[in-house]
Amino acid sequence: MKKLILVSNDDGYMAKGVRELMAMLAPYGEVVAVCPDQGRSGQSMALTFDAPLRIMEEKSPVEGTKLYSCNGTPVDCVKISCYSVLDGRTPDLVVAGINHGSNAAVNVVYSGTMGAVQEGCSWGVPSIGFSLTTHDPDADFSAVRPVVDAIIPKMLELGMPVGTFINVNVPAGVVDAPISICRECKAHWSEEYKKYEDPMGRTFFMLSGHMINDEPDNPDTDLYALDHGHTSVVVEILDRTAPSPLIPGWIDAMR
């Protein structure tokens, strides 16, 4: 029996990245994609509580696959798939992307693409997200194919430890980029908003800023790998409980 692969993203069902990903995954199983009906970047693991969710079947770009749009968030798309589109079946694999833009370092926290991955992980399903480090809507995603071909068969064969998921970032424009198994870089965003004034004299703000790498010379990190033309592969965990040795004094003080 074919493996069931559920696909989602945060750039919307019309994005080139998810359509390319569907084609890359088609040889590995039954591919069903459920994606937002428009861009939902930065949604993380947001859920829709205050509006009805609707699912529409769309024309799939890849023969033998199915594509649906949903007016919710990426997590909504994954959650509702099992109850509606997949008729109660649990997928063998959840794959999100290919994201237009990097989800390395702290971006994994904000990413709707990685939110979909974490939702799949919370079900106990092996889950992985792919991103390409360019926001070009017509980007060349061919560099991602060898990475998909290297990782997806292994995930289908071996699965993943419960509570873990994979975050993959591929450097744009790099042919046959080496794969580096690394960790999430310590980084933060600076100057995140710019202040403006509209024609009526009212102040408003727009998200801006840039990422600052807090450990630029550390070769163990995903940002270092990407800066040096490598694909970064980071195994993440869903459980956000801090390891107790990091904060023993604080814990003792609270007892």
Side-chain angles (χ1 to χ4, degrees), residues 6 22 38-39 44 76 102-103 107 128 164 177 193 220 235 251-252:
L6 176 62
M22 292 173 68
Q38 57 184 292
S44 188
D76 288 329
S102 171
N103 277 323
N107 284 344
I128 184 169
T164 66
Y193 292 90
D220 296 331
V235 179
I251 292 175
D252 292 341

Side-chain angles (χ1 to χ4, degrees), residues 173-243:
V174 181
V175 179
D176 296 328
I179 295 177
S180 289
I181 310 299
C182 42
R183 66 168 177 79
E184 184 181 311
C185 186
K186 295 175 183 177
H188 67 280
W189 283 87
S190 179
E191 301 172 4
E192 293 190 62
Y193 292 90
K194 286 188 177 180
K195 184 177 179 180
Y196 299 91
E197 189 174 282
D198 69 17
M200 302 298 292
R202 296 171 298 192
T203 299
F204 68 95
F205 300 86
M206 293 293 291
L207 188 65
S208 59
H210 60 281
M211 183 184 288
I212 296 177
N213 186 339
D214 294 327
E215 42 183 345
D217 299 321
N218 191 329
D220 296 331
T221 69
D222 50 6
L223 289 184
Y224 186 95
L226 292 168
D227 287 344
H228 290 78
H230 288 216
T231 290
S232 67
V233 175
V234 179
V235 179
E236 311 262 3
I237 59 172
L238 195 63
D239 183 354
R240 293 190 172 94
T241 305

Side-chain angles (χ1 to χ4, degrees), residues 95-134:
V95 186
I98 302 165
N99 191 66
H100 292 248
S102 171
N103 277 323
V106 71
N107 284 344
V108 69
V109 176
Y110 304 110
S111 168
T113 292
M114 295 309 298
V117 173
Q118 291 177 80
E119 180 61 28
C121 176
S122 75
W123 294 1
V125 175
S127 302
I128 184 169
F130 291 95
S131 303
L132 186 71
T133 60
T134 174

